[in-house]
Amino acid sequence: MMERIEMIKGRCECGAVAFEVENVRDTVTICHCSQCRRTSGHLWASTHAPFDKLTFLNDEGLRWYASSDHAKRGFCTHCGSSLFYRMNDEAGIGIAAGCLDDTSTLHVSKHIFVADKGDYYPLPRSRATIDMD
């Protein structure tokens, strides 16, 4: 059962992008696809929230990159932090779990696109669902 965290803050490494968001999902999805690995440097770990519950406290460094015809990624132009993933016309937004100030209530729920994972690391042994897409 997914629960929601009422309010949480997050930011990039340098602070040029800072935000607070309500109703963050307490689960984290780990994506192993080649695109996520390239943009994050390893794998993409994200939670999710309604986009209209995201408030930017600082968006000076925020830029969006159209990573495909159906989605875009938000990152900081100053420090390079990979922060957001958003499907075009979706009401929600994927938020990098690592950029959140308090992750104490988050837990990994599933791994996706594991067929595309890097050869240099094994899949973890956990109770998380593993989607073999």
Side-chain angles (χ1 to χ4, degrees):
M1 180 173 147
M2 286 188 286
E3 294 185 26
R4 296 281 177 171
I5 302 166
E6 285 305 310
M7 180 66 79
I8 195 165
K9 289 186 178 186
R11 66 178 183 86
C12 66
E13 176 63 19
C14 72
V17 180
F19 60 91
E20 59 186 12
V21 60
E22 293 179 61
N23 296 326
V24 173
R25 187 181 65 199
D26 69 345
T27 58
V28 173
T29 298
I30 309 294
C31 185
H32 298 268
C33 80
S34 60
Q35 192 176 75
C36 282
R37 288 187 295 112
R38 283 187 185 100
T39 60
S40 70
H42 181 43
L43 47 80
W44 176 253
S46 67
T47 186
H48 200 267
F51 185 72
D52 65 356
K53 299 298 182 181
L54 179 69
T55 302
F56 288 100
L57 306 174
N58 185 5
D59 64 356
E60 170 193 339
L62 181 62
R63 295 296 178 273
W64 292 95
Y65 166 67
S67 56
S68 71
D69 289 339
H70 59 274
K72 57 188 164 266
R73 295 170 186 271
F75 66 98
C76 177
T77 59
H78 296 275
C79 66
S81 295
S82 183
L83 302 167
F84 306 108
Y85 178 84
R86 186 164 190 217
M87 299 291 289
N88 296 340
D89 303 320
E90 182 185 350
I93 187 165
I95 302 169
C99 74
L100 298 174
D101 292 346
D102 180 7
T103 59
S104 62
T105 59
L106 300 179
H107 62 278
V108 173
S109 66
K110 65 182 173 180
H111 292 257
I112 59 175
F113 296 104
V114 296
D116 296 338
K117 78 169 202 58
D119 295 332
Y120 61 93
Y121 64 92
L123 287 174
R125 294 181 186 190
S126 72
R127 294 179 187 214
T129 302
I130 306 231
D131 292 338
M132 298 304 284
D133 296 338

